[in-house]
C-alpha cells in the first residue's frame, strides 16, 4: 500500500505544480511537472495491481527523468516555433543520451535554485537539495531504516515539488550577483 500512496502523493503534488505553472503561462514548466506526474500515476496504477503497465511506467519514468527538470527550469513557452522545436529536439536527445541528461538535470537544478528565480529563494534551494538528496542519498533499491528506498525516494521528490510550489518559481532569467552583472549607465 505504501508504494501506491507515495506515487499518488507525488502525482498530486505534480498536478498542483503543473496547474499553478499553467496559471502563470509557464507551459514548459507545466509540461515538466506533468511528465513527473504521469510517471508517478502510472507507478501508482502498476503498484496498485493494474496489469501491463510496467513498461509504460518505465518509459514514462525515463522520459521524465531526462526532460522533467530542464522543462521546469525553462518555465515559459517563449520564442517562435523554431525555438520551441529546438527545445523538443534537445529533449529527445536527453532521453537517449544518459550522460547529457545528468548534466542537463544538474544545470536545471542550479537554474531552479538560483537567487532571484523565485519569490522564496530558500524554498527553491530546499526543493533542489531534496531532489538531489532523494536521488543520491536515498536511491530506489533496497531498504533504509526498514523502509523501501523507492518509496522514500518518491516521498522525497514529493516534498521537493511541494517546496517548489511554496517557492513560487518564477520565469526570470538567472541573475548574476551584483559584482558580475554588466552595469549600464545612462548618458
Amino acid at each position: 500500500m505504501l508504494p501506491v500512496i507515495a506515487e499518488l502523493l507525488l502525482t498530486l503534488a505534480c498536478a498542483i505544480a503543473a496547474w499553478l505553472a499553467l496559471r502563470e503561462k509557464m507551459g514548459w514548466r507545466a509540461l515538466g511537472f506533468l511528465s513527473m506526474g504521469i510517471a508517478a500515476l502510472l507507478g501508482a496504477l502498476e503498484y496498485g495491481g493494474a496489469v501491463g503497465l510496467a513498461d509504460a511506467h518505465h518509459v514514462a519514468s525515463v522520459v521524465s527523468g531526462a526532460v522533467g527538470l530542464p522543462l521546469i527550469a525553462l518555465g515559459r513557452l517563449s520564442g517562435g516555433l523554431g525555438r520551441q522545436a529546438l527545445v523538443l529536439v534537445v529533449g529527445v536527445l536527453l532521453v537517449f543520451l544518459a550522460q547529457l541528461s545528468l548534466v542537463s538535470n544538474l544545470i536545471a537544478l542550479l537554474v531552479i535554485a538560483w537567487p532571484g528565480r523565485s519569490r522564496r529563494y530558500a524554498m527553491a534551494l530546499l526543493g533542489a537539495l531534496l531532489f538531489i538528496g532523494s536521488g543520491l542519498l536515498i536511491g530506489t533499491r533496497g531498504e533504509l531504516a526498514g523502509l523501501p528506498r523507492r518509496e522514500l525516494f518518491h516521498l522525497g521528490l514529493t516534498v521537493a515539488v511541494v517546496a517548489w510550489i511554496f517557492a513560487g518559481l518564477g520565469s526570470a532569467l538567472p541573475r548574476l550577483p551584483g559584482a558580475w552583472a554588466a552595469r549600464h549607465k545612462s548618458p
Side-chain angles (χ1 to χ4, degrees), residues 134-167:
S134 294
L136 294 178
L137 300 177
I138 297 173
T140 58
R141 295 195 175 145
E143 289 187 350
L144 181 66
L147 293 171
R149 286 179 180 263
R150 181 182 62 201
E151 278 57 78
L152 294 172
F153 170 77
H154 289 127
L155 292 172
L157 295 184
T158 301
V159 176
V161 171
V162 169
W164 287 339
I165 290 170
F166 285 115

PDB file of all heavy atoms in Angstrom, residues 134-167:
ATOM      1  N   SER A 134      17.298  12.968  -2.699  1.00  0.00           N
ATOM      2  CA  SER A 134      16.457  11.799  -2.981  1.00  0.00           C
ATOM      3  C   SER A 134      17.147  10.865  -3.956  1.00  0.00           C
ATOM      4  O   SER A 134      17.099   9.649  -3.796  1.00  0.00           O
ATOM      5  CB  SER A 134      15.105  12.238  -3.541  1.00  0.00           C
ATOM      6  OG  SER A 134      14.376  12.947  -2.577  1.00  0.00           O
ATOM      7  N   GLY A 135      17.785  11.439  -4.947  1.00  0.00           N
ATOM      8  CA  GLY A 135      18.458  10.607  -5.937  1.00  0.00           C
ATOM      9  C   GLY A 135      19.782  10.043  -5.465  1.00  0.00           C
ATOM     10  O   GLY A 135      20.061   8.862  -5.634  1.00  0.00           O
ATOM     11  N   LEU A 136      20.601  10.889  -4.851  1.00  0.00           N
ATOM     12  CA  LEU A 136      21.951  10.459  -4.477  1.00  0.00           C
ATOM     13  C   LEU A 136      22.031   9.748  -3.136  1.00  0.00           C
ATOM     14  O   LEU A 136      22.811   8.815  -2.978  1.00  0.00           O
ATOM     15  CB  LEU A 136      22.900  11.666  -4.465  1.00  0.00           C
ATOM     16  CG  LEU A 136      23.163  12.326  -5.816  1.00  0.00           C
ATOM     17  CD1 LEU A 136      24.082  13.522  -5.646  1.00  0.00           C
ATOM     18  CD2 LEU A 136      23.746  11.329  -6.806  1.00  0.00           C
ATOM     19  N   LEU A 137      21.287  10.204  -2.162  1.00  0.00           N
ATOM     20  CA  LEU A 137      21.390   9.636  -0.824  1.00  0.00           C
ATOM     21  C   LEU A 137      20.397   8.509  -0.564  1.00  0.00           C
ATOM     22  O   LEU A 137      20.686   7.587   0.190  1.00  0.00           O
ATOM     23  CB  LEU A 137      21.211  10.734   0.230  1.00  0.00           C
ATOM     24  CG  LEU A 137      22.239  11.869   0.171  1.00  0.00           C
ATOM     25  CD1 LEU A 137      21.907  12.933   1.211  1.00  0.00           C
ATOM     26  CD2 LEU A 137      23.643  11.349   0.356  1.00  0.00           C
ATOM     27  N   ILE A 138      19.222   8.604  -1.156  1.00  0.00           N
ATOM     28  CA  ILE A 138      18.197   7.587  -0.901  1.00  0.00           C
ATOM     29  C   ILE A 138      18.206   6.526  -1.995  1.00  0.00           C
ATOM     30  O   ILE A 138      18.315   5.343  -1.711  1.00  0.00           O
ATOM     31  CB  ILE A 138      16.791   8.223  -0.774  1.00  0.00           C
ATOM     32  CG1 ILE A 138      16.757   9.166   0.420  1.00  0.00           C
ATOM     33  CG2 ILE A 138      15.730   7.143  -0.660  1.00  0.00           C
ATOM     34  CD1 ILE A 138      15.493   9.977   0.545  1.00  0.00           C
ATOM     35  N   GLY A 139      18.070   6.934  -3.247  1.00  0.00           N
ATOM     36  CA  GLY A 139      18.039   5.970  -4.341  1.00  0.00           C
ATOM     37  C   GLY A 139      16.738   5.197  -4.380  1.00  0.00           C
ATOM     38  O   GLY A 139      15.762   5.555  -3.711  1.00  0.00           O
ATOM     39  N   THR A 140      16.720   4.125  -5.159  1.00  0.00           N
ATOM     40  CA  THR A 140      15.476   3.379  -5.346  1.00  0.00           C
ATOM     41  C   THR A 140      15.601   1.889  -5.056  1.00  0.00           C
ATOM     42  O   THR A 140      14.617   1.169  -5.160  1.00  0.00           O
ATOM     43  CB  THR A 140      14.961   3.545  -6.788  1.00  0.00           C
ATOM     44  OG1 THR A 140      15.968   3.085  -7.694  1.00  0.00           O
ATOM     45  CG2 THR A 140      14.603   4.986  -7.095  1.00  0.00           C
ATOM     46  N   ARG A 141      16.770   1.416  -4.684  1.00  0.00           N
ATOM     47  CA  ARG A 141      16.935  -0.018  -4.452  1.00  0.00           C
ATOM     48  C   ARG A 141      17.275  -0.308  -3.004  1.00  0.00           C
ATOM     49  O   ARG A 141      18.050   0.400  -2.381  1.00  0.00           O
ATOM     50  CB  ARG A 141      18.029  -0.563  -5.356  1.00  0.00           C
ATOM     51  CG  ARG A 141      17.621  -0.457  -6.796  1.00  0.00           C
ATOM     52  CD  ARG A 141      18.480  -1.289  -7.679  1.00  0.00           C
ATOM     53  NE  ARG A 141      17.916  -1.210  -9.025  1.00  0.00           N
ATOM     54  CZ  ARG A 141      18.621  -1.216 -10.103  1.00  0.00           C
ATOM     55  NH1 ARG A 141      19.925  -1.321 -10.030  1.00  0.00           N
ATOM     56  NH2 ARG A 141      18.036  -1.147 -11.276  1.00  0.00           N
ATOM     57  N   GLY A 142      16.686  -1.366  -2.488  1.00  0.00           N
ATOM     58  CA  GLY A 142      16.980  -1.793  -1.128  1.00  0.00           C
ATOM     59  C   GLY A 142      16.092  -1.113  -0.102  1.00  0.00           C
ATOM     60  O   GLY A 142      15.024  -0.596  -0.426  1.00  0.00           O
ATOM     61  N   GLU A 143      16.573  -1.130   1.145  1.00  0.00           N
ATOM     62  CA  GLU A 143      15.819  -0.546   2.251  1.00  0.00           C
ATOM     63  C   GLU A 143      16.698   0.414   3.016  1.00  0.00           C
ATOM     64  O   GLU A 143      17.916   0.309   3.024  1.00  0.00           O
ATOM     65  CB  GLU A 143      15.325  -1.636   3.194  1.00  0.00           C
ATOM     66  CG  GLU A 143      14.229  -2.492   2.617  1.00  0.00           C
ATOM     67  CD  GLU A 143      13.648  -3.454   3.636  1.00  0.00           C
ATOM     68  OE1 GLU A 143      14.211  -3.586   4.742  1.00  0.00           O
ATOM     69  OE2 GLU A 143      12.623  -4.073   3.328  1.00  0.00           O
ATOM     70  N   LEU A 144      16.041   1.347   3.672  1.00  0.00           N
ATOM     71  CA  LEU A 144      16.718   2.306   4.542  1.00  0.00           C
ATOM     72  C   LEU A 144      15.873   2.412   5.803  1.00  0.00           C
ATOM     73  O   LEU A 144      14.690   2.776   5.730  1.00  0.00           O
ATOM     74  CB  LEU A 144      16.841   3.675   3.861  1.00  0.00           C
ATOM     75  CG  LEU A 144      17.552   4.769   4.628  1.00  0.00           C
ATOM     76  CD1 LEU A 144      19.033   4.420   4.811  1.00  0.00           C
ATOM     77  CD2 LEU A 144      17.439   6.088   3.894  1.00  0.00           C
ATOM     78  N   ALA A 145      16.447   2.056   6.927  1.00  0.00           N
ATOM     79  CA  ALA A 145      15.734   2.063   8.214  1.00  0.00           C
ATOM     80  C   ALA A 145      14.454   1.233   8.150  1.00  0.00           C
ATOM     81  O   ALA A 145      13.427   1.601   8.718  1.00  0.00           O
ATOM     82  CB  ALA A 145      15.425   3.490   8.637  1.00  0.00           C
ATOM     83  N   GLY A 146      14.507   0.121   7.414  1.00  0.00           N
ATOM     84  CA  GLY A 146      13.366  -0.781   7.340  1.00  0.00           C
ATOM     85  C   GLY A 146      12.294  -0.389   6.340  1.00  0.00           C
ATOM     86  O   GLY A 146      11.296  -1.079   6.207  1.00  0.00           O
ATOM     87  N   LEU A 147      12.482   0.739   5.639  1.00  0.00           N
ATOM     88  CA  LEU A 147      11.513   1.178   4.628  1.00  0.00           C
ATOM     89  C   LEU A 147      12.118   1.038   3.237  1.00  0.00           C
ATOM     90  O   LEU A 147      13.312   1.286   3.059  1.00  0.00           O
ATOM     91  CB  LEU A 147      11.122   2.635   4.861  1.00  0.00           C
ATOM     92  CG  LEU A 147      10.339   2.918   6.140  1.00  0.00           C
ATOM     93  CD1 LEU A 147      10.213   4.418   6.365  1.00  0.00           C
ATOM     94  CD2 LEU A 147       8.959   2.279   6.062  1.00  0.00           C
ATOM     95  N   PRO A 148      11.304   0.674   2.264  1.00  0.00           N
ATOM     96  CA  PRO A 148      11.817   0.558   0.900  1.00  0.00           C
ATOM     97  C   PRO A 148      12.329   1.922   0.398  1.00  0.00           C
ATOM     98  O   PRO A 148      11.650   2.943   0.516  1.00  0.00           O
ATOM     99  CB  PRO A 148      10.610   0.102   0.082  1.00  0.00           C
ATOM    100  CG  PRO A 148       9.640  -0.434   1.080  1.00  0.00           C
ATOM    101  CD  PRO A 148       9.902   0.291   2.359  1.00  0.00           C
ATOM    102  N   ARG A 149      13.551   1.921  -0.139  1.00  0.00           N
ATOM    103  CA  ARG A 149      14.156   3.163  -0.630  1.00  0.00           C
ATOM    104  C   ARG A 149      13.327   3.804  -1.747  1.00  0.00           C
ATOM    105  O   ARG A 149      13.268   5.023  -1.846  1.00  0.00           O
ATOM    106  CB  ARG A 149      15.578   2.892  -1.137  1.00  0.00           C
ATOM    107  CG  ARG A 149      16.573   2.677  -0.030  1.00  0.00           C
ATOM    108  CD  ARG A 149      17.951   2.397  -0.610  1.00  0.00           C
ATOM    109  NE  ARG A 149      18.920   2.199   0.432  1.00  0.00           N
ATOM    110  CZ  ARG A 149      19.735   3.152   0.885  1.00  0.00           C
ATOM    111  NH1 ARG A 149      19.685   4.353   0.377  1.00  0.00           N
ATOM    112  NH2 ARG A 149      20.593   2.883   1.847  1.00  0.00           N
ATOM    113  N   ARG A 150      12.699   2.984  -2.576  1.00  0.00           N
ATOM    114  CA  ARG A 150      11.908   3.525  -3.689  1.00  0.00           C
ATOM    115  C   ARG A 150      10.807   4.444  -3.174  1.00  0.00           C
ATOM    116  O   ARG A 150      10.570   5.515  -3.712  1.00  0.00           O
ATOM    117  CB  ARG A 150      11.316   2.377  -4.505  1.00  0.00           C
ATOM    118  CG  ARG A 150      10.496   2.832  -5.701  1.00  0.00           C
ATOM    119  CD  ARG A 150       9.898   1.663  -6.440  1.00  0.00           C
ATOM    120  NE  ARG A 150       8.986   0.951  -5.553  1.00  0.00           N
ATOM    121  CZ  ARG A 150       8.611  -0.303  -5.725  1.00  0.00           C
ATOM    122  NH1 ARG A 150       9.069  -1.002  -6.731  1.00  0.00           N
ATOM    123  NH2 ARG A 150       7.771  -0.870  -4.888  1.00  0.00           N
ATOM    124  N   GLU A 151      10.137   4.031  -2.093  1.00  0.00           N
ATOM    125  CA  GLU A 151       9.058   4.861  -1.551  1.00  0.00           C
ATOM    126  C   GLU A 151       9.615   6.118  -0.886  1.00  0.00           C
ATOM    127  O   GLU A 151       9.035   7.198  -1.002  1.00  0.00           O
ATOM    128  CB  GLU A 151       8.227   4.054  -0.547  1.00  0.00           C
ATOM    129  CG  GLU A 151       7.192   3.165  -1.189  1.00  0.00           C
ATOM    130  CD  GLU A 151       7.751   2.166  -2.186  1.00  0.00           C
ATOM    131  OE1 GLU A 151       8.305   1.127  -1.803  1.00  0.00           O
ATOM    132  OE2 GLU A 151       7.621   2.465  -3.395  1.00  0.00           O
ATOM    133  N   LEU A 152      10.743   5.984  -0.192  1.00  0.00           N
ATOM    134  CA  LEU A 152      11.381   7.163   0.392  1.00  0.00           C
ATOM    135  C   LEU A 152      11.829   8.129  -0.697  1.00  0.00           C
ATOM    136  O   LEU A 152      11.716   9.355  -0.549  1.00  0.00           O
ATOM    137  CB  LEU A 152      12.566   6.747   1.267  1.00  0.00           C
ATOM    138  CG  LEU A 152      12.211   5.953   2.524  1.00  0.00           C
ATOM    139  CD1 LEU A 152      13.474   5.441   3.203  1.00  0.00           C
ATOM    140  CD2 LEU A 152      11.379   6.798   3.477  1.00  0.00           C
ATOM    141  N   PHE A 153      12.320   7.595  -1.804  1.00  0.00           N
ATOM    142  CA  PHE A 153      12.712   8.408  -2.964  1.00  0.00           C
ATOM    143  C   PHE A 153      11.514   9.203  -3.479  1.00  0.00           C
ATOM    144  O   PHE A 153      11.599  10.415  -3.677  1.00  0.00           O
ATOM    145  CB  PHE A 153      13.281   7.493  -4.056  1.00  0.00           C
ATOM    146  CG  PHE A 153      13.497   8.156  -5.379  1.00  0.00           C
ATOM    147  CD1 PHE A 153      14.582   8.987  -5.583  1.00  0.00           C
ATOM    148  CD2 PHE A 153      12.626   7.941  -6.436  1.00  0.00           C
ATOM    149  CE1 PHE A 153      14.799   9.597  -6.819  1.00  0.00           C
ATOM    150  CE2 PHE A 153      12.821   8.535  -7.665  1.00  0.00           C
ATOM    151  CZ  PHE A 153      13.916   9.369  -7.865  1.00  0.00           C
ATOM    152  N   HIS A 154      10.378   8.518  -3.669  1.00  0.00           N
ATOM    153  CA  HIS A 154       9.187   9.200  -4.183  1.00  0.00           C
ATOM    154  C   HIS A 154       8.659  10.234  -3.181  1.00  0.00           C
ATOM    155  O   HIS A 154       8.204  11.308  -3.578  1.00  0.00           O
ATOM    156  CB  HIS A 154       8.096   8.189  -4.544  1.00  0.00           C
ATOM    157  CG  HIS A 154       8.446   7.393  -5.763  1.00  0.00           C
ATOM    158  ND1 HIS A 154       8.436   6.021  -5.772  1.00  0.00           N
ATOM    159  CD2 HIS A 154       8.833   7.776  -6.998  1.00  0.00           C
ATOM    160  CE1 HIS A 154       8.807   5.601  -6.969  1.00  0.00           C
ATOM    161  NE2 HIS A 154       9.056   6.641  -7.729  1.00  0.00           N
ATOM    162  N   LEU A 155       8.718   9.916  -1.902  1.00  0.00           N
ATOM    163  CA  LEU A 155       8.290  10.895  -0.897  1.00  0.00           C
ATOM    164  C   LEU A 155       9.233  12.096  -0.872  1.00  0.00           C
ATOM    165  O   LEU A 155       8.785  13.239  -0.714  1.00  0.00           O
ATOM    166  CB  LEU A 155       8.199  10.235   0.481  1.00  0.00           C
ATOM    167  CG  LEU A 155       7.076   9.203   0.637  1.00  0.00           C
ATOM    168  CD1 LEU A 155       7.198   8.474   1.975  1.00  0.00           C
ATOM    169  CD2 LEU A 155       5.706   9.859   0.488  1.00  0.00           C
ATOM    170  N   GLY A 156      10.528  11.866  -1.054  1.00  0.00           N
ATOM    171  CA  GLY A 156      11.491  12.970  -1.138  1.00  0.00           C
ATOM    172  C   GLY A 156      11.204  13.869  -2.328  1.00  0.00           C
ATOM    173  O   GLY A 156      11.254  15.109  -2.219  1.00  0.00           O
ATOM    174  N   LEU A 157      10.891  13.268  -3.477  1.00  0.00           N
ATOM    175  CA  LEU A 157      10.531  14.067  -4.659  1.00  0.00           C
ATOM    176  C   LEU A 157       9.255  14.860  -4.413  1.00  0.00           C
ATOM    177  O   LEU A 157       9.131  16.011  -4.840  1.00  0.00           O
ATOM    178  CB  LEU A 157      10.363  13.170  -5.891  1.00  0.00           C
ATOM    179  CG  LEU A 157      11.599  12.444  -6.410  1.00  0.00           C
ATOM    180  CD1 LEU A 157      11.266  11.690  -7.687  1.00  0.00           C
ATOM    181  CD2 LEU A 157      12.754  13.397  -6.634  1.00  0.00           C
ATOM    182  N   THR A 158       8.315  14.237  -3.715  1.00  0.00           N
ATOM    183  CA  THR A 158       7.056  14.931  -3.394  1.00  0.00           C
ATOM    184  C   THR A 158       7.329  16.177  -2.561  1.00  0.00           C
ATOM    185  O   THR A 158       6.804  17.258  -2.860  1.00  0.00           O
ATOM    186  CB  THR A 158       6.094  13.988  -2.637  1.00  0.00           C
ATOM    187  OG1 THR A 158       5.834  12.845  -3.457  1.00  0.00           O
ATOM    188  CG2 THR A 158       4.797  14.687  -2.282  1.00  0.00           C
ATOM    189  N   VAL A 159       8.149  16.035  -1.532  1.00  0.00           N
ATOM    190  CA  VAL A 159       8.462  17.179  -0.668  1.00  0.00           C
ATOM    191  C   VAL A 159       9.221  18.242  -1.469  1.00  0.00           C
ATOM    192  O   VAL A 159       9.005  19.443  -1.286  1.00  0.00           O
ATOM    193  CB  VAL A 159       9.254  16.726   0.582  1.00  0.00           C
ATOM    194  CG1 VAL A 159       9.661  17.916   1.429  1.00  0.00           C
ATOM    195  CG2 VAL A 159       8.416  15.760   1.405  1.00  0.00           C
ATOM    196  N   ALA A 160      10.092  17.813  -2.401  1.00  0.00           N
ATOM    197  CA  ALA A 160      10.813  18.766  -3.249  1.00  0.00           C
ATOM    198  C   ALA A 160       9.842  19.564  -4.114  1.00  0.00           C
ATOM    199  O   ALA A 160       9.951  20.794  -4.214  1.00  0.00           O
ATOM    200  CB  ALA A 160      11.829  18.036  -4.126  1.00  0.00           C
ATOM    201  N   VAL A 161       8.887  18.892  -4.725  1.00  0.00           N
ATOM    202  CA  VAL A 161       7.897  19.582  -5.569  1.00  0.00           C
ATOM    203  C   VAL A 161       7.056  20.534  -4.721  1.00  0.00           C
ATOM    204  O   VAL A 161       6.784  21.670  -5.125  1.00  0.00           O
ATOM    205  CB  VAL A 161       7.015  18.567  -6.336  1.00  0.00           C
ATOM    206  CG1 VAL A 161       5.856  19.259  -7.038  1.00  0.00           C
ATOM    207  CG2 VAL A 161       7.860  17.786  -7.346  1.00  0.00           C
ATOM    208  N   VAL A 162       6.664  20.103  -3.529  1.00  0.00           N
ATOM    209  CA  VAL A 162       5.891  20.974  -2.634  1.00  0.00           C
ATOM    210  C   VAL A 162       6.723  22.203  -2.256  1.00  0.00           C
ATOM    211  O   VAL A 162       6.203  23.333  -2.222  1.00  0.00           O
ATOM    212  CB  VAL A 162       5.409  20.207  -1.381  1.00  0.00           C
ATOM    213  CG1 VAL A 162       4.840  21.141  -0.328  1.00  0.00           C
ATOM    214  CG2 VAL A 162       4.376  19.154  -1.777  1.00  0.00           C
ATOM    215  N   ALA A 163       8.007  22.013  -2.004  1.00  0.00           N
ATOM    216  CA  ALA A 163       8.882  23.151  -1.700  1.00  0.00           C
ATOM    217  C   ALA A 163       8.912  24.120  -2.876  1.00  0.00           C
ATOM    218  O   ALA A 163       8.869  25.345  -2.688  1.00  0.00           O
ATOM    219  CB  ALA A 163      10.289  22.676  -1.351  1.00  0.00           C
ATOM    220  N   TRP A 164       8.960  23.596  -4.110  1.00  0.00           N
ATOM    221  CA  TRP A 164       8.954  24.470  -5.289  1.00  0.00           C
ATOM    222  C   TRP A 164       7.622  25.173  -5.455  1.00  0.00           C
ATOM    223  O   TRP A 164       7.571  26.305  -5.921  1.00  0.00           O
ATOM    224  CB  TRP A 164       9.311  23.680  -6.535  1.00  0.00           C
ATOM    225  CG  TRP A 164      10.773  23.316  -6.594  1.00  0.00           C
ATOM    226  CD1 TRP A 164      11.799  23.923  -5.934  1.00  0.00           C
ATOM    227  CD2 TRP A 164      11.358  22.266  -7.339  1.00  0.00           C
ATOM    228  NE1 TRP A 164      12.984  23.323  -6.231  1.00  0.00           N
ATOM    229  CE2 TRP A 164      12.747  22.291  -7.096  1.00  0.00           C
ATOM    230  CE3 TRP A 164      10.850  21.295  -8.193  1.00  0.00           C
ATOM    231  CZ2 TRP A 164      13.629  21.397  -7.699  1.00  0.00           C
ATOM    232  CZ3 TRP A 164      11.736  20.400  -8.778  1.00  0.00           C
ATOM    233  CH2 TRP A 164      13.105  20.460  -8.537  1.00  0.00           C
ATOM    234  N   ILE A 165       6.544  24.513  -5.070  1.00  0.00           N
ATOM    235  CA  ILE A 165       5.236  25.182  -5.112  1.00  0.00           C
ATOM    236  C   ILE A 165       5.263  26.389  -4.178  1.00  0.00           C
ATOM    237  O   ILE A 165       4.864  27.494  -4.548  1.00  0.00           O
ATOM    238  CB  ILE A 165       4.097  24.203  -4.726  1.00  0.00           C
ATOM    239  CG1 ILE A 165       3.894  23.162  -5.827  1.00  0.00           C
ATOM    240  CG2 ILE A 165       2.800  24.962  -4.446  1.00  0.00           C
ATOM    241  CD1 ILE A 165       2.974  22.009  -5.439  1.00  0.00           C
ATOM    242  N   PHE A 166       5.743  26.188  -2.951  1.00  0.00           N
ATOM    243  CA  PHE A 166       5.814  27.291  -1.983  1.00  0.00           C
ATOM    244  C   PHE A 166       6.866  28.330  -2.350  1.00  0.00           C
ATOM    245  O   PHE A 166       6.765  29.483  -1.945  1.00  0.00           O
ATOM    246  CB  PHE A 166       6.064  26.759  -0.570  1.00  0.00           C
ATOM    247  CG  PHE A 166       4.855  26.138   0.054  1.00  0.00           C
ATOM    248  CD1 PHE A 166       4.837  24.786   0.354  1.00  0.00           C
ATOM    249  CD2 PHE A 166       3.720  26.891   0.322  1.00  0.00           C
ATOM    250  CE1 PHE A 166       3.708  24.202   0.921  1.00  0.00           C
ATOM    251  CE2 PHE A 166       2.590  26.321   0.881  1.00  0.00           C
ATOM    252  CZ  PHE A 166       2.579  24.970   1.179  1.00  0.00           C
ATOM    253  N   ALA A 167       7.866  27.929  -3.123  1.00  0.00           N
ATOM    254  CA  ALA A 167       8.907  28.876  -3.550  1.00  0.00           C
ATOM    255  C   ALA A 167       8.362  29.890  -4.542  1.00  0.00           C
ATOM    256  O   ALA A 167       8.894  30.991  -4.648  1.00  0.00           O
ATOM    257  CB  ALA A 167      10.084  28.128  -4.168  1.00  0.00           C
TER     258      ALA A 167
END
